[in-house]
Amino acid sequence: MASKQQTSRKATGTRAANGRTHGGDAADDIGLDALVGHAGYAVRRFQLWIFQDFIKTLATVDIRPTQYSVMTVIGANPGLSQMAVAKRLGIERARLVHLLDSLEERDFVSRIPSATDRRSHALHLTGRGKSALARFKRLAAEHERHVADKIGKENREQLLQILACFT
């Protein structure tokens, strides 16, 4: 029995060494030349697919990947400072402030003045935020099943191992 990945390739055509997909739409007939061998290009295309699937899968709860990441880190580490969250997730501090504003407006996150540093805030999930995050995690698990369906369960595990040095 053919895997879903093989079936998908058959439905969209086969990819030649130059990156062309025969039997697909007109855009697939444009060769990619050296891009076929560039990891960065492949990772970027995968990132686009993965973000689109995440957004689609979590559309009913209106949460974006970065918002989910921020809430997950805060949930796992109550009381972290904004700077610590920004640094750990690689988010610009100004962008994180905007993200926290939107999460605070939805009553998912609260900023509490730090007991040790007047310039800092400790971040916590609200009760509503904890409940919402539990639902988001269930939907994110569904999204991860989509990833496994797309690339295969073993390939997904291998990909996570390869990318672990970047997390």
Side-chain angles (χ1 to χ4, degrees):
M1 182 172 160
S3 71
K4 288 183 182 185
Q5 186 178 6
Q6 291 168 333
T7 304
S8 175
R9 281 190 191 137
K10 288 177 186 173
T12 59
T14 57
R15 190 163 302 279
N18 67 0
R20 286 189 174 101
T21 303
H22 303 289
D25 69 29
D28 290 335
D29 290 337
I30 298 171
L32 296 175
D33 193 31
L35 290 177
V36 172
H38 288 280
Y41 178 76
V43 167
R44 177 65 176 143
R45 293 299 300 254
F46 183 59
Q47 179 196 23
L48 290 170
W49 178 88
I50 218 164
F51 271 48
Q52 288 170 353
D53 186 77
F54 184 96
I55 290 165
K56 180 178 155 188
T57 305
L58 280 85
T60 59
V61 293
D62 189 29
I63 197 79
R64 298 294 207 168
T66 308
Q67 293 170 317
Y68 173 76
S69 297
V70 167
M71 288 184 67
T72 299
V73 168
I74 293 169
N77 305 277
L80 279 181
S81 70
Q82 292 178 199
M83 186 177 292
V85 172
K87 186 174 180 179
R88 183 63 179 105
L89 292 175
I91 300 172
E92 293 176 14
R93 284 176 34 203
R95 183 160 183 250
L96 180 64
V97 169
H98 177 70
L99 281 166
L100 291 172
D101 287 345
S102 68
L103 293 172
E104 208 169 30
E105 286 172 16
R106 294 174 71 179
D107 192 29
F108 291 159
V109 171
S110 66
R111 290 182 259 206
I112 301 168
S114 171
T116 59
D117 182 356
R118 291 185 325 164
R119 299 166 296 167
S120 183
H121 289 90
L123 301 172
H124 296 273
L125 293 180
T126 62
R128 184 169 187 229
K130 289 175 186 176
S131 297
L133 182 58
R135 183 170 182 213
F136 301 162
K137 284 181 177 181
R138 286 190 299 274
L139 291 167
E142 180 181 329
H143 159 70
E144 288 299 319
R145 286 189 294 278
H146 298 166
V147 174
D149 289 346
K150 180 79 170 171
I151 66 173
K153 184 177 180 180
E154 296 80 18
N155 286 338
R156 180 188 166 280
E157 293 301 321
Q158 187 176 10
L159 180 63
L160 288 171
Q161 288 175 358
I162 292 167
L163 297 175
C165 65
F166 296 101
T167 59

